[in-house]
Amino acid sequence: MRLRLPEERPTEPPTGYKIAHPVLSHDGTRAGFTGVSLGGALPYGVLADASCVYGLRHRAPHRRCDCGFHCVHDRTAAEALLCTAEHRTAVLLEVTVLGRYLRFELGFRYARQRVRTATVGPCPCGAAAAALADAGWGRPGWWGLAPSCAGCLRGRTSVSLAGFARLAGDGLRVVAGAAVPGAVRPAGLGVPELTAEAALLQARLDWFQTQLARLGRRGPGGGPQG
């Protein structure tokens, strides 16, 4: 005889915490998230239903599968996941656990969720993030995003924190986490950036000089001089 755990019937939906990578659709009209482990190839929105990532036809979460959304009970435990190298650019999500769920010692595995708040960590330079910018990776149809301050955008595809919340919809709040203590953002561009800009300007100047030399050989009337 198999013992069954008692069913919970909470008066309010439970709250959980998780980390995820923010993503932006290639046409810039939608925003969402993608997981950091199982199911990471499937972006999801603020309000989303889980499905079995193995393609099985059972409802998620299934007791004999590990499908479904995952989260932990404790915010501190989720923040600790951001320390690993591969998760440094992820954001911290506060979610409402909806639908069927399985409770574990550390968290939930569940069928439906609503992302209430996304907390964006600091820019790699240490300053507080002002935007989410192209992280250099993506999924088919989606740009992967990472926190960035205004000074580090460098023309990359980006969206402001408020703009990301607006595109994601469904009442999502996006907030910037604190800057790294003691971080100093250099004023203006650094030596590598200035060197690259100077090289680009020199290349453009060489091109203009070549064009002027050609025009000089052809003469004012367009014909060759001689």
Side-chain angles (χ1 to χ4, degrees):
M1 179 178 178
R2 186 176 62 182
L3 297 178
R4 296 179 62 88
L5 295 175
E7 291 188 4
E8 297 184 12
R9 298 186 181 277
T11 56
E12 295 183 356
T15 295
Y17 302 91
K18 62 193 300 182
I19 64 173
H21 293 293
V23 291
L24 179 69
S25 64
H26 72 286
D27 57 2
T29 61
R30 292 176 295 157
F33 305 95
T34 186
V36 298
S37 57
L38 184 67
L42 302 174
Y44 56 84
V46 172
L47 184 62
D49 294 285
S51 59
C52 181
V53 295
Y54 302 111
L56 302 178
R57 296 184 179 181
H58 56 238
R59 290 193 304 166
H62 194 276
R63 290 184 180 273
R64 297 183 178 179
C65 186
D66 52 5
C67 59
F69 290 121
H70 296 70
C71 72
V72 295
H73 300 305
D74 185 35
R75 180 188 179 101
T76 303
E79 289 175 332
L81 299 175
L82 297 171
C83 295
T84 62
E86 63 271 26
H87 299 157
R88 292 285 178 90
T89 59
V91 299
L92 177 69
L93 304 183
E94 178 183 330
V95 301
T96 298
V97 176
L98 303 172
R100 300 170 60 248
Y101 65 82
L102 301 174
R103 180 188 287 272
F104 297 93
E105 180 181 0
L106 298 179
F108 299 100
R109 183 159 61 90
Y110 51 100
R112 199 167 193 244
Q113 72 177 8
R114 177 186 292 276
V115 182
R116 295 205 303 255
T117 305
T119 302
V120 180
C123 176
C125 74
L132 291 164
D134 180 15
W137 63 270
R139 301 284 185 264
W142 295 87
W143 301 93
L145 303 179
S148 176
C149 68
C152 292
L153 287 177
R154 301 285 189 266
R156 290 178 293 165
T157 298
S158 64
V159 60
S160 68
L161 302 188
F164 185 92
R166 176 179 55 80
L167 292 175
D170 288 317
L172 174 69
R173 291 180 60 245
V174 181
V175 298
V180 176
V184 178
R185 175 64 187 167
L189 299 178
V191 173
E193 291 83 2
L194 290 173
T195 301
E197 291 289 338
L200 178 61
L201 290 174
Q202 184 62 54
R204 296 292 293 174
L205 179 60
D206 291 343
W207 182 85
F208 278 116
Q209 289 177 334
T210 300
Q211 300 305 310
L212 288 173
R214 290 177 178 175
L215 289 174
R217 288 195 298 268
R218 293 178 63 87
Q225 290 183 322

